[in-house]
Amino acid sequence: MTGVRRAPRWRGALIVTGAVVVVVAVAGFALVPVVLPWMQTTVAETDRTIRLSAGERTASLLVPAGWSVQRESDESPTVVVRTPDAALALTVDLVPGASVDAVAATAVEGRGAVRVEQTSEGTALAHAEAPGVLVAAVSASDGSASARVIARADPERRESYDAEIAGLLDTVRVGQ
Amino acid sequence: MRRGPAVVAGLVTVLLLAGCAQPSDPEWMPHAWPAPEIRAVDAPPPPLPPTKVPGLAGERVRNDTLGLQARVSVVPGGEPVSTAALAHVRAAIDLRVAATDHSYTPEVFDRAAGLGERGCQEGSTVRAAAEVIADPALGPVGGSGIAVVCDIVTAAGPVLGQRIRTIEAAAGEPTADRATVLFADVASGEVTDARGLWNAEAAASLWSVIVDVLRREAGALSLAPVPAPEAAELEAFEGVLDTTLPASDGSFVLSLPEGFTAPLLADLGSPPTEAVRHLVIPPARVSALASPLGAMLSSALTAGTPFSPPPSSPARTGSTDCRLVPCVALTYDDGPGPLTPTVLDALAAQRSAATFYVIGRNVEGDADTLRRAVGDGHELGNHTWNHPRLPTLDAAAVGRQIRDTQNAVREATGVRPTSFRPPYGEYDDAVLAEAGLPAILWDVDTDDWRRPADDVLVERAVDRARPRSIVLLHDVHEATARVTPAVISGLRDRGFTLVTVTELFAGAVPASGAWRSAR
């Protein structure tokens, strides 16, 4: 009678390890762009000032405690701020020109008329709405540049965040 | 050997989960805008039923020659308040005199005119103008002329608010329509308009509050305070204060007109208001911005304090201008007697006045009745001691008849009569000279002493009277006492106001002579 000869154990281990390596490689290519930014997201326990710069243009805004701030680096001209419930995301960047122009130039489907106001500092504040999106901008005092804020949330809930958005916009300072 | 791949797989899993997870606090709630201090309501506070406001009396003037009908409420005992309300009636008369080239003389009508129903008709100031003009109880005859109507808008503590509306019309078509609200402190006599409920800072403050509410409604995101209004904006907003109406909880309601806007709102792309908006200013804000009278009113409403009218006599004496309203004096001779209280009751029930020419020898036995008559606001006159034919007496006897009665009345009531009535209407120059008082006779004789049927008695007393007539009755006949309510209501339905003899003569009887009427 002839006995069945079992495969060597080292062969099975090799197969499993190879499969794991493939999975890790695929995951790495797919998820690093997602995971790494989150690894650059910070949440502070106190209010903190975030600064942006793009060439000679600068801006700052005060992010409330508990909100998350996501940016590629401290020198990045763009920052994404999220409310603690993560339901509202505001993308802030620096653009040339006055706030009205900045809002008008931002392409958002279904955007309504641009509204003009002033912050409590007296600087120009412009904003317009679209379903689930609010585009706003605060000018520098000379109108040469603006900090643009694009706020996105579930369309059914977006307006409930107006007071929070207003509070954030009122802290924006451009060119300082 | 198997442990190694498991560790690697676990590490990959952790990375995956870490990548999908977001920092979040699902319990966190976004802050909302602070609740607006003011809110909108569908309609301003409705007027009050005037019958539910104690101490009010009604005036009603109808004049077909000029084309005028006017109704206002007055406050007996609160002359400044009444004067302010009647000023609108006088203004309407002046307009019609100018428009028609007729002079004004008080007019009366037959009993069917129903002019006894007086004062404010609830809701008349908010009805369509054409409806008011067409209503025979409110509008001028034929639909041409002026209607003055009123509503009680508030009554709390010592404060009364009355809206008075003047509608001009030609052939039933309104040509002008304006209203004002008078607020009066009946205790102090202060009278103001709606704007007077607010202090000097109110207009600017309320403007800012209202613009703030409107901007949030329009989607504003600015946290900057609303800039102060420009002078022109403030001036325009003052007109909004004229619409102030108090609500029963002490808040004040403003009616923002259609077309209201502000530069801040225009920049937001918010169009001018498309309809009237009624905005409620809460009591806390009212108390910070109100004038002393406004604050007093708001506090009284908040506390539920009922309206407290000033003290006044049941007969409303002293508040009637017989150049404005048609007046008649009912006079009762030969009392006081057991029927006099019945007459007094009837007069009190319809807030009407009369004059009692009393017999001197009856005074002591019925002093209480006389004191009540005086307390109710009626007038006492001298009808001699025992009702003789005065021309048959010598001077000394005439003098005693008058003097002894004067003393008896003064002793019983503290009042000294200022006129006398000669028994049977008989007098001569000697009697007048000795009496030293004017003789007040009559131009309407009911002959009640002949015991006519009640309806005949009423017809004589009511239908024969003319403005400034003096009617002769005797409060010693049962029929006279019995028909007093019908006589009073009949005269009032004709448009008369019942006054004392002194009031008939504009507050002062002539010093001498004999008078059958005040014409």
Side-chain angles (χ1 to χ4, degrees):
Chain A
M1 202 132 125
T2 306
V4 176
R5 206 165 157 204
R6 295 182 65 187
R9 282 191 178 178
W10 63 265
R11 202 177 284 173
L14 186 62
I15 292 171
V16 169
T17 301
V20 168
V21 168
V22 168
V23 167
V24 169
V26 170
F29 277 115
L31 295 176
V32 162
V34 175
V35 170
L36 275 183
W38 281 109
M39 295 174 74
Q40 295 168 349
T41 298
T42 57
V43 178
E45 291 184 354
T46 59
D47 297 351
R48 54 182 159 153
T49 299
I50 304 297
R51 301 185 195 285
L52 304 175
S53 60
E56 292 185 353
R57 305 183 214 114
T58 61
S60 67
L61 64 153
L62 187 68
V63 178
W67 290 41
S68 67
V69 174
Q70 175 191 342
R71 62 195 314 183
E72 290 182 3
S73 70
D74 288 346
E75 290 74 37
S76 172
T78 302
V79 65
V80 179
V81 177
R82 288 184 176 83
T83 52
D85 62 356
L88 177 75
L90 303 99
T91 303
V92 187
D93 62 356
L94 276 163
V95 296
S99 56
V100 173
D101 300 325
V103 172
T106 302
V108 176
E109 190 175 341
R111 193 200 70 209
V114 180
R115 300 168 179 171
V116 179
E117 299 186 74
Q118 285 189 345
T119 68
S120 56
E121 290 287 305
T123 53
L125 162 65
H127 54 93
E129 288 188 45
V133 181
L134 175 81
V135 182
V138 178
S139 288
S141 55
D142 63 359
S144 61
S146 297
R148 181 178 58 179
V149 176
I150 301 177
R152 289 189 169 84
D154 181 334
E156 290 191 4
R157 296 180 60 192
R158 217 280 308 136
E159 284 189 17
S160 66
Y161 291 87
D162 272 357
E164 296 286 352
I165 295 171
L168 188 88
L169 289 172
D170 206 56
T171 70
V172 173
R173 306 287 183 264
V174 183
Q176 296 172 4
Chain B
M1 194 57 179
R2 289 178 185 165
R3 201 173 295 163
V7 169
V8 172
L11 275 174
V12 170
T13 302
V14 167
L15 278 174
L16 278 171
L17 289 175
C20 294
Q22 301 176 11
S24 71
D25 177 4
E27 300 298 316
W28 181 88
M29 296 292 291
H31 292 115
W33 292 116
E37 184 180 5
I38 63 175
R39 61 186 171 89
V41 290
D42 292 336
L48 306 181
T51 53
K52 296 286 177 63
V53 181
L56 288 189
E59 290 290 6
R60 185 170 175 181
V61 171
R62 175 181 157 185
N63 193 290
D64 288 359
T65 300
L66 294 183
L68 169 75
Q69 181 155 210
R71 300 173 66 146
V72 294
S73 285
V74 295
V75 181
E79 265 54 62
V81 180
S82 303
T83 300
L86 291 171
H88 291 265
V89 180
R90 297 179 196 282
I93 290 172
D94 289 344
L95 282 174
R96 293 306 299 164
V97 167
T100 62
D101 214 22
H102 289 299
S103 60
Y104 175 70
T105 302
E107 288 181 356
V108 292
F109 303 86
D110 61 28
R111 286 187 250 175
L115 300 179
E117 193 242 316
R118 302 179 178 184
C120 299
Q121 188 189 80
E122 184 183 353
S124 58
T125 63
V126 294
R127 286 171 66 185
E131 269 186 40
V132 172
I133 294 296
D135 189 334
L138 300 173
V141 66
S144 292
I146 292 180
V148 179
V149 294
C150 62
D151 266 309
I152 303 300
V153 299
T154 195
V159 183
L160 180 77
Q162 177 174 194
R163 179 166 51 223
I164 300 175
R165 180 187 185 191
T166 301
I167 306 171
E168 298 181 49
E173 290 299 318
T175 57
D177 188 355
R178 53 192 175 275
T180 189
V181 184
L182 298 177
F183 293 92
D185 178 348
V186 299
S188 69
E190 178 187 357
V191 181
T192 187
D193 56 13
R195 218 179 276 200
L197 295 178
W198 301 101
N199 63 31
E201 288 74 44
S205 179
L206 290 170
W207 186 93
S208 296
V209 168
I210 290 171
V211 169
D212 189 50
V213 168
L214 294 177
R215 73 169 175 171
R216 290 290 173 238
E217 289 179 355
L221 296 178
S222 169
L223 299 187
V226 173
E230 300 288 336
E233 293 168 336
L234 195 60
E235 189 179 335
F237 188 75
E238 296 273 356
V240 177
L241 298 188
D242 288 334
T243 70
T244 304
L245 286 176
S248 58
D249 63 353
S251 58
F252 286 0
V253 179
L254 299 179
S255 295
L256 201 64
E258 62 178 80
F260 179 85
T261 189
L264 182 154
L265 297 173
D267 289 342
L268 274 171
S270 177
T273 54
E274 295 177 346
V276 175
R277 293 191 66 178
H278 308 290
L279 303 174
V280 179
I281 313 300
R285 176 66 74 157
V286 168
S287 70
L289 296 176
S291 65
L293 190 148
M296 178 166 51
L297 173 59
S298 180
S299 295
L301 286 165
T302 304
T305 307
F307 177 62
S308 52
S312 68
S313 65
R316 278 189 54 194
T317 325
S319 59
T320 304
D321 181 353
C322 294
R323 293 164 300 180
L324 180 63
V325 300
C327 296
V328 64
L330 293 183
T331 62
Y332 292 88
D333 287 5
D334 295 352
L339 296 173
T340 308
T342 302
V343 174
L344 292 174
D345 289 344
L347 289 164
Q350 298 195 60
R351 302 215 70 171
S352 295
T355 303
F356 294 84
Y357 284 95
V358 300
I359 298 292
R361 69 181 176 189
N362 295 343
V363 170
E364 189 178 2
D366 260 304
D368 284 346
T369 299
L370 280 192
R371 281 191 283 271
R372 182 197 160 181
V374 171
D376 282 2
H378 304 293
E379 184 173 345
L380 300 182
N382 187 322
H383 198 36
T384 73
W385 182 258
N386 60 359
H387 209 277
R389 296 190 124 83
L390 290 176
T392 66
L393 303 181
D394 61 29
V398 170
R400 282 195 298 275
Q401 289 282 332
I402 300 300
R403 193 168 50 248
D404 291 350
T405 303
Q406 293 288 91
N407 291 338
V409 172
R410 189 171 61 237
E411 208 166 296
T413 67
V415 169
R416 180 183 176 279
T418 58
S419 66
F420 86 104
R421 173 164 287 169
Y424 315 103
E426 295 178 347
Y427 67 95
D428 56 25
D429 290 344
V431 168
L432 292 181
E434 188 59 36
L437 294 171
I440 301 299
L441 300 147
W442 56 88
D443 66 325
V444 176
D445 190 347
T446 61
D447 280 330
D448 58 346
W449 60 274
R450 295 182 187 274
R451 316 281 173 93
D454 286 6
D455 60 335
V456 173
L457 183 51
V458 172
E459 182 268 335
R460 289 174 184 171
V462 173
D463 297 341
R464 295 180 184 178
R466 292 183 290 157
R468 296 183 183 252
S469 278
I470 300 172
V471 180
L472 172 62
L473 296 147
H474 298 82
D475 54 326
V476 293
H477 301 302
E478 285 188 8
T480 301
R482 185 169 58 241
V483 305
T484 302
V487 167
I488 296 170
S489 60
L491 286 167
R492 285 173 56 81
D493 280 340
R494 290 193 60 201
F496 281 110
T497 296
L498 279 60
V499 299
T500 64
V501 165
T502 297
E503 283 188 292
L504 200 70
F505 283 94
V509 292
S512 61
W515 305 85
R516 294 195 175 276
S517 74
R519 287 187 293 274

